[in-house]
Amino acid sequence: MPTIDFKDIGDVLNYEYRQGTIVSVNGADDTCVVTVDGSSTTALIFYH
């Protein structure tokens, strides 16, 4: 699982999180296609 290694609190405060819509799920490799602001990208699904 990739992680975000922030250097300091400034990096944390400047990080931008975005909300998207899951379009499809690939259960074989735990990824999904997400649409954010009109463009699609592949993302990892992380769950406990």
Side-chain angles (χ1 to χ4, degrees):
M1 175 80 194
T3 61
I4 301 169
D5 296 322
F6 296 109
K7 295 177 187 175
D8 55 31
I9 190 67
D11 279 352
V12 174
L13 294 174
N14 290 329
Y15 195 79
E16 185 175 333
Y17 291 91
R18 296 184 172 224
Q19 185 173 355
T21 303
I22 296 175
V23 178
S24 63
V25 175
N26 183 348
D29 62 1
D30 292 333
T31 60
C32 62
V33 175
V34 180
T35 300
V36 179
D37 294 334
S39 59
S40 296
T41 188
T42 301
L44 292 172
I45 298 173
F46 177 76
Y47 54 89
H48 288 269

